[in-house]
Each structure stands twice: as structure tokens, then as C-alpha cells.
Amino acid sequence: MSETPHIVSDVMTQTVVAVGRDAPFKEIVRTMEQWKVSAMPVLEGEGRVIGVVSEADLLPKEEFREGEQSLYEQRQRLSDVAKAGATTAGELMSTPAITIHADATLAQAARIMAVRRVKRLPVVDGIGMLQGIVSRADLLKVFLRSDEDIEEEVRRTVAAYLFPASSHALHVNAHEGVVTLRGHIRDTSLIPVAVRLVRAVEGVVDVEPQLTGEPADAGGPDTNGS
């Protein structure tokens, strides 16, 4: 019915800054500074993603420089202590990498980022080869969609689908991504369904149903459409 949802390949960045397992600490820092990124995939072989190295992985080097942490604190943070002494991407990286496939929906990508508390996901194929990267900012691109595009899709894929007999009388208006539905329909039980389908159209911020009509089971001679 609908052209949405969009998938990760629609919004991901295909040109990805990455480093190899043996990249030294300072090269990682220089690369992040040069490309203005805060994390990079770590690759092995022909481009298989084996981990991700981020600024958070590099900071223990500075944090533990003066050695003022107590023995108890060091025992509680063994991973950070190890990273403080690391010198290559392979020693610093977080592994296994949290990745996603190009055909995943944007909602799936957003859910993974929220649950795993990461800001970006390497996009890989079936054997773990790097295809791109998707960030939080990429997922928000759908909200740049124009109100006119949203209105057109709602009319075509929701109004015409749910209310074919009265879609011409159903007014769809979008303003700053908020979609308002106005008009008279035969079956008000379909209003929650319409709201759910409109909300699923990407770029929609909210839905305001202003629909009137009668319940399908209200009784009377017209109940069965006769």
C-alpha cells in the first residue's frame, strides 16, 4: 500500500572513514580530527568490520595518565585500564561491532541505537563487509520531507485505501509535518486505523483526526451498506 517505510540504504553515507586493526593511536586521533568524526569502523582484510573505535575508547589514555585512581577503582574499570595502555585500533576498539544491514528499516536502526546507546551504526552485508554508515542525523532526514509530499502520500496510500467511496471528500492538510484529517466518513471505527497508517508515513510528526461519521454497527437499514 505505502511507499514507506524507508530503509537504511536510503539515508546511509556510503563514503566511510575507517581504519585497520593495526592503525596506531595517533593515526586514529589524526584521522578523527581530519574528518571531524567521533568514531570509526575498524576493518580487517578486504573490508570486514571487526569493531568500532570511538573517542570514548581513546579517552582512558588521558584519564589514567597520572595514575591517581585507587586500586579498587581500577579493578572496577578493567576495560578502561586496558585501553589506557592500548596503542592500536585492534586493542582499543569495542568488539563485536554493533552493525545493521542496508535493508533494515529506519525504525529498526533507531531502536538499536537507543537500546545499545550508540550514535551511529556501520552498515554491512551478509558476510560483514562494510557498505556504509548510518548516524542519528541520517535517521532524521525523513523529517526534511516537504508537507506537499506528505499530503500526496497520505491521500494516495491512506485516504484512497481506507475510504475509497469518500476519499474525494476527505481533506488532508500537513503543516510542519503535522497532518490534519477532516471530513465525513461512513465508519468511524476506521479512525484509529487511519491515524496509525498516517503516523507510519515517514516525515509525519503527528496526526490530528477531525473526522465525523457513524459507527459501522450503529444499526438501521444502511448498516450493511444497502
Side-chain angles (χ1 to χ4, degrees):
M1 180 189 70
S2 173
E3 294 178 356
T4 55
H6 287 84
I7 58 177
V8 167
S9 61
D10 294 330
V11 300
M12 71 181 188
T13 301
Q14 292 182 305
T15 303
V16 185
V17 181
V19 292
R21 176 194 288 274
D22 297 327
F25 188 98
K26 284 197 171 184
E27 178 184 324
I28 298 169
V29 176
R30 284 194 300 266
T31 304
M32 286 184 175
E33 172 62 23
Q34 178 183 354
W35 294 97
K36 306 303 179 186
V37 295
S38 58
M40 298 181 293
V42 181
L43 308 182
E44 187 172 62
E46 297 299 315
R48 185 171 62 88
V49 178
I50 58 172
V52 173
V53 62
S54 69
E55 290 174 339
D57 296 317
L58 304 178
L59 283 176
K61 178 76 71 179
E62 183 66 24
E63 179 185 359
F64 286 86
R65 180 182 301 280
E66 296 179 353
E68 294 181 354
Q69 288 73 19
S70 67
L71 182 60
Y72 173 79
E73 184 179 1
Q74 292 183 34
R75 286 176 175 172
Q76 295 300 307
R77 301 177 58 191
L78 291 177
S79 176
D80 287 341
V81 172
K83 289 182 179 182
T87 60
T88 66
E91 296 168 340
L92 289 158
M93 67 184 181
S94 298
T95 187
I98 303 168
T99 61
I100 197 164
H101 293 300
D103 59 356
T105 66
L106 302 192
Q108 289 172 324
R111 190 173 302 113
I112 292 173
M113 287 185 188
V115 172
R116 303 302 294 269
R117 299 181 180 180
V118 294
K119 298 179 180 179
R120 61 194 56 75
L121 296 168
V123 183
V124 299
D125 62 15
I127 58 173
M129 302 296 284
L130 183 65
Q131 293 185 307
I133 197 160
V134 63
S135 69
R136 291 175 178 176
D138 292 327
L139 300 185
L140 295 175
K141 288 177 181 177
V142 293
F143 293 106
L144 299 176
R145 191 178 189 190
S146 72
D147 288 331
E148 292 76 14
D149 282 349
I150 293 172
E151 289 175 0
E152 193 278 331
E153 182 171 343
V154 170
R155 292 189 187 103
R156 187 181 70 256
T157 66
V158 179
Y161 175 76
L162 283 182
F163 314 107
S166 57
S167 61
H168 62 283
L170 190 67
H171 301 285
V172 179
N173 177 259
H175 178 68
E176 292 295 312
V178 178
V179 176
T180 302
L181 303 175
R182 296 185 181 90
H184 186 85
I185 58 176
R186 294 183 60 184
D187 183 1
T188 55
S189 68
L190 290 176
I191 293 177
V193 180
V195 170
R196 185 170 67 251
L197 292 177
V198 173
R199 201 180 298 278
V201 173
E202 284 173 346
V204 171
V205 175
D206 199 5
V207 185
E208 296 182 354
Q210 299 177 11
L211 301 170
T212 60
E214 296 295 330
D217 58 353
D222 293 330
T223 299
N224 297 317
S226 58

